[in-house]
Amino acid sequence: MESLIRRHGGRRVVSPSSSAAAASFILLLCAVVLLNTHVALCGCYKRIFSFGDSIIDTGNFVYLTGNGPSQFKELPYGMTYFNRPSGRICDGRVLVDFYAQALNLSLLPPSIPEEGSGQFENGANFAVLASTALGPDYFKTKYNFSLPVPYCLDNQLASFKKVLGRIAPGVDATKSLLGESLIVMGEIGGNDYNFWFTARQPRETARQYLPDVIGRIGAAVQEVINLGAKTVLVPGNFPFGCAPEYLQGFQSSNTSDYDATGCIAWFNDFSRQHNQALVQEVARLRSQNPGVTLIYADYYGAALEFFKNPKNYGIGDPLLECCGGDGPYHTGMTCNKTAKVWGSPANFASWDGVHMTEKAYSIIADGVLSKRYADAPLEAEQQQPLSDMGSFSHQKHSISVYLVLVSAVLLLNSTLGLCGCYKRIFSFGDSIIDSGNFVHIAGDHPCPFKEPPFGMTYFKHPSGRISDGRVVIDFYAQALQLPFVPPSLPEKDRGQFPHGANFAVLASTALPPEYFRRRNHTVPMPFSLATQLEWFKQTLQRIAPGDAARRALLGESLILMGEIGGNDYNFWFLDHKPREVAYQFIPDVVASISSTVQELIGLGARTIMIPGNFPTGCVPAYLSAYRSGNPADYDEFRCLRWFNAFSAAHNQALLNEVSRLKAQHPGVRLIYADYFGAALQLFRNPRRFGINDPLLACCGGHGPYHTGATCDRTATVWGDPGSFANWDGVHMTEKAYHVIADGVLNGPFADPPLLHSC
């Protein structure tokens, strides 16, 4: 009820002209990984090596074109993330970029520019636009068919082995390096069919050579395993019957040629046939290589999500390309600097008619990383080879043996997330991250948060969160490969909370209610940071009794300290109390947060993230309550200048306090998260994120800024929440929280970024 209380969220072708010893080795490797200062947060993968075509090419093709012209060297390519052409055949990042960022590695460089000299400390990308699995000779000899470019999987593997021979010479060095690397085998094979189909060759013939395509991919996987690879991701093909270029090139007046999503049924059936054969090949390779983790990535299923339910992702029509012409499906023109860009790429699934947008790739990558569309979780890497290591479990003979044991336990523990530094998240705060505590407190009483449209976007039902979907803590958990953090109160007296617990409650304040009563002001809810901390300590006494157990548990946990403190001001302002008086609260609010942080450090916490406040002057409830006819009251984003200045003052005081605490506790990681700056992206450049007007609430009434009515089942939902920054006039949408979380996880809105915090 806080909102109520506050008021009363590649393929377009561009042609350029012994077991014990092994166990000991792996244990030692894990110890090295933990100790190495260059290791990524997700310590089992120090590098990624990738193969494929234009779907993941990060610049090889552009390099091969030399000084020749190429539309990929010019805007609008790269417009979204890099703000310049990056060599990727996309408006922004591609799939391998999201994998690298999730594993806390730098973006993969293309291999060819530095093939003879690069050290590739974080890996390299061997993918080249227009590459095929089978070589040109295969098609020429067997079908008298000429491929338009010479690049194939054989070329890429030859380049890979050449690089390995230089950066890790010798069998042992190669096996060591590959044993700590993730290999991404594609997507590859799509062009073996695309060139054939788009040349109007007999479709059925492609079924004849499909087994050869699968066989070549399987042979490549086996080849990298023989070299020493221990983890290989093998992606399937996309539903290319949904690609605008196919839809335009194979238009039909026969409705039976299309499936329920408007895609060409025959081509999607063919993609599924390829994928099923590839799944069987991966299963065969697993049986032959029991010490290797082979992961099948279902790109088809992950992509189908936004073709079936595009509005859930802020996509208008997923069958239209973003950059192209005025033809059907926005086709008819090559995407180049003279082409038409039909709007924000974040509202499209297809970028240029063949390749997808960054938005689409992010959805697919999330499906793989979150395990929904990967048949073996990425964090399972090296669990199989470690399965016979139980005999080491009681060795304590030396500090080195102890470190080796810790490494093995970290890898074997099924509760450990992909990013192994954090096994749990414990969080405090208010409705911004409450994941169900307030709804539990409400019991059988009526509450709008128990009913749609709350939860409509991600969960498809109310989840106890005060949003249309996920909130910031959910994105942190998913990025760290942990389950969603459960609310603490439903299991307060018996839950074991193996992955952590969320103590945040809607309408909570940093300062206790009596603080405000002494100022003749009543806050509408009794929950404060002190109350949440007491619940937390009671839980710790039960799940980790004793000082040593408590410190061990907290030492491997991430603590989220809010956002908290916003309501200390909100309840005052929205009662139209004197604004300037609130400045007197700031030192006390910051001191309350600081004292809680210090108490947590005393209990054993080693990593605490402390977020600042949001730009409250951009909140619809404020904009409506403090409407002004004076233009000077508004900033360049049409937000209320005074309230944003106040939020900035709070944040500066909090940042100063975090700096002081860092100096006092040099052995503790204290991370300041700039929620103000991260959120301001949405107001500075909303169309970049597919948002129309960031100052309007998605769910509300017909008043100014869509305010004037509580968001409940009778309220107006003004469109797809993915096109809004604000959900209900006070709280943000899942879309906005995702943008903010990404800025904290990957930077630049956290010091250090959360995925670099280990």
Side-chain angles (χ1 to χ4, degrees), residues 395-477:
Q395 295 183 32
K396 299 181 181 178
H397 303 310
S398 68
I399 185 64
S400 60
V401 172
Y402 173 74
L403 287 170
V404 167
L405 175 61
V406 170
S407 304
V409 170
L410 285 175
L411 286 172
L412 285 165
N413 192 330
S414 62
T415 67
L416 181 61
L418 172 63
C419 300
C421 286
Y422 306 117
K423 289 178 68 173
R424 300 168 184 83
I425 298 175
F426 293 105
S427 55
F428 306 87
D430 55 26
S431 58
I432 298 301
I433 62 170
D434 184 350
S435 55
N437 283 317
F438 181 81
V439 167
H440 175 75
I441 291 168
D444 295 331
H445 295 289
C447 175
F449 312 133
K450 298 177 181 178
E451 301 175 343
F454 285 91
M456 64 179 281
T457 297
Y458 184 85
F459 301 97
K460 313 302 181 190
H461 60 80
S463 68
R465 293 161 176 80
I466 322 304
S467 180
D468 63 295
R470 291 166 291 183
V471 292
V472 285
I473 190 175
D474 298 320
F475 291 105
Y476 300 151

Side-chain angles (χ1 to χ4, degrees), residues 317-350:
D317 186 339
L319 304 182
L320 301 179
E321 60 185 88
C322 180
C323 177
D326 293 293
Y329 306 101
H330 294 171
T331 52
M333 183 175 180
T334 298
C335 178
N336 56 33
K337 63 183 178 182
T338 66
K340 186 170 184 177
V341 177
W342 287 86
S344 168
N347 292 333
F348 290 82
S350 176

Side-chain angles (χ1 to χ4, degrees), residues 246-424:
Y246 271 83
L247 290 162
Q248 188 272 333
F250 293 89
Q251 285 188 84
S252 171
S253 58
N254 187 348
T255 56
S256 65
D257 288 340
Y258 298 89
D259 62 21
T261 59
C263 303
I264 299 173
W266 191 93
F267 290 114
N268 277 2
D269 287 343
F270 186 88
S271 294
R272 286 194 294 268
Q273 184 177 354
H274 167 94
N275 291 341
Q276 184 56 46
L278 186 59
V279 167
Q280 292 170 358
E281 178 67 3
V282 170
R284 185 188 69 80
L285 290 166
R286 283 189 185 130
S287 68
Q288 292 188 353
N289 301 277
V292 176
T293 298
L294 292 173
I295 306 162
Y296 174 73
D298 180 12
Y299 284 4
Y300 185 103
L304 217 59
E305 283 203 0
F306 50 76
F307 289 109
K308 288 181 176 178
N309 299 293
K311 292 190 182 301
N312 290 349
Y313 301 97
I315 293 171
D317 186 339
L319 304 182
L320 301 179
E321 60 185 88
C322 180
C323 177
D326 293 293
Y329 306 101
H330 294 171
T331 52
M333 183 175 180
T334 298
C335 178
N336 56 33
K337 63 183 178 182
T338 66
K340 186 170 184 177
V341 177
W342 287 86
S344 168
N347 292 333
F348 290 82
S350 176
W351 167 239
D352 60 5
V354 177
H355 309 93
M356 291 184 175
T357 58
E358 175 181 279
K359 174 69 169 285
Y361 288 139
S362 73
I363 296 166
I364 295 168
D366 181 67
V368 174
L369 291 163
S370 67
K371 312 174 197 176
R372 298 194 307 276
Y373 292 99
D375 71 348
L378 288 181
E379 75 263 31
E381 191 265 345
Q382 299 210 26
Q383 286 187 2
Q384 182 68 33
L386 290 172
S387 61
D388 295 326
M389 297 180 185
S391 60
F392 290 89
S393 63
H394 298 292
Q395 295 183 32
K396 299 181 181 178
H397 303 310
S398 68
I399 185 64
S400 60
V401 172
Y402 173 74
L403 287 170
V404 167
L405 175 61
V406 170
S407 304
V409 170
L410 285 175
L411 286 172
L412 285 165
N413 192 330
S414 62
T415 67
L416 181 61
L418 172 63
C419 300
C421 286
Y422 306 117
K423 289 178 68 173
R424 300 168 184 83

Side-chain angles (χ1 to χ4, degrees), residues 38-284:
H38 298 294
V39 74
L41 172 62
C42 306
C44 285
Y45 306 115
K46 290 179 68 174
R47 299 169 184 84
I48 299 175
F49 294 106
S50 56
F51 307 87
D53 56 26
S54 57
I55 297 300
I56 62 170
D57 184 351
T58 55
N60 282 317
F61 181 81
V62 166
Y63 178 80
L64 289 167
T65 62
N67 294 324
S70 170
Q71 72 264 37
F72 309 132
K73 298 177 180 178
E74 300 174 336
L75 290 170
Y77 284 90
M79 64 179 281
T80 296
Y81 184 82
F82 302 96
N83 299 314
R84 57 174 174 78
S86 69
R88 291 159 177 80
I89 320 304
C90 184
D91 64 294
R93 291 167 291 183
V94 292
L95 285 159
V96 73
D97 295 322
F98 291 103
Y99 298 152
Q101 289 182 320
L103 296 172
N104 199 41
L105 297 171
S106 57
L107 300 185
L108 290 195
S111 64
I112 296 176
E114 299 290 329
E115 185 179 78
S117 58
Q119 289 305 301
F120 301 123
E121 293 180 355
N122 295 120
N125 188 357
F126 296 84
V128 184
L129 176 145
S131 291
T132 51
L134 298 166
D137 290 347
Y138 174 93
F139 289 97
K140 188 67 175 175
T141 301
K142 197 161 186 177
Y143 297 103
N144 195 31
F145 179 71
S146 296
L147 295 176
V149 291
Y151 313 120
C152 65
L153 197 46
D154 283 344
N155 306 137
Q156 296 180 31
L157 285 169
S159 178
F160 176 57
K161 287 185 280 188
K162 180 180 178 180
V163 167
L164 284 177
R166 183 172 51 75
I167 68 173
V171 172
D172 290 343
T174 297
K175 287 183 178 292
S176 176
L177 182 142
L178 292 182
E180 60 189 15
S181 301
L182 171 66
I183 310 298
V184 179
M185 187 54 67
E187 178 271 345
I188 190 72
N191 286 328
D192 296 63
Y193 314 122
N194 290 330
F195 294 138
W196 184 267
F197 292 144
T198 55
R200 294 300 197 276
Q201 297 291 328
R203 293 188 214 164
E204 290 299 333
T205 305
R207 295 194 193 275
Q208 299 173 18
Y209 65 76
L210 185 152
D212 294 332
V213 173
I214 299 300
R216 183 66 196 97
I217 297 170
V221 171
Q222 187 63 61
E223 194 166 350
V224 297
I225 291 172
N226 293 343
L227 289 168
K230 291 297 182 183
T231 307
V232 186
L233 180 74
V234 187
N237 215 324
F238 298 88
F240 53 76
C242 302
E245 290 294 332
Y246 271 83
L247 290 162
Q248 188 272 333
F250 293 89
Q251 285 188 84
S252 171
S253 58
N254 187 348
T255 56
S256 65
D257 288 340
Y258 298 89
D259 62 21
T261 59
C263 303
I264 299 173
W266 191 93
F267 290 114
N268 277 2
D269 287 343
F270 186 88
S271 294
R272 286 194 294 268
Q273 184 177 354
H274 167 94
N275 291 341
Q276 184 56 46
L278 186 59
V279 167
Q280 292 170 358
E281 178 67 3
V282 170
R284 185 188 69 80

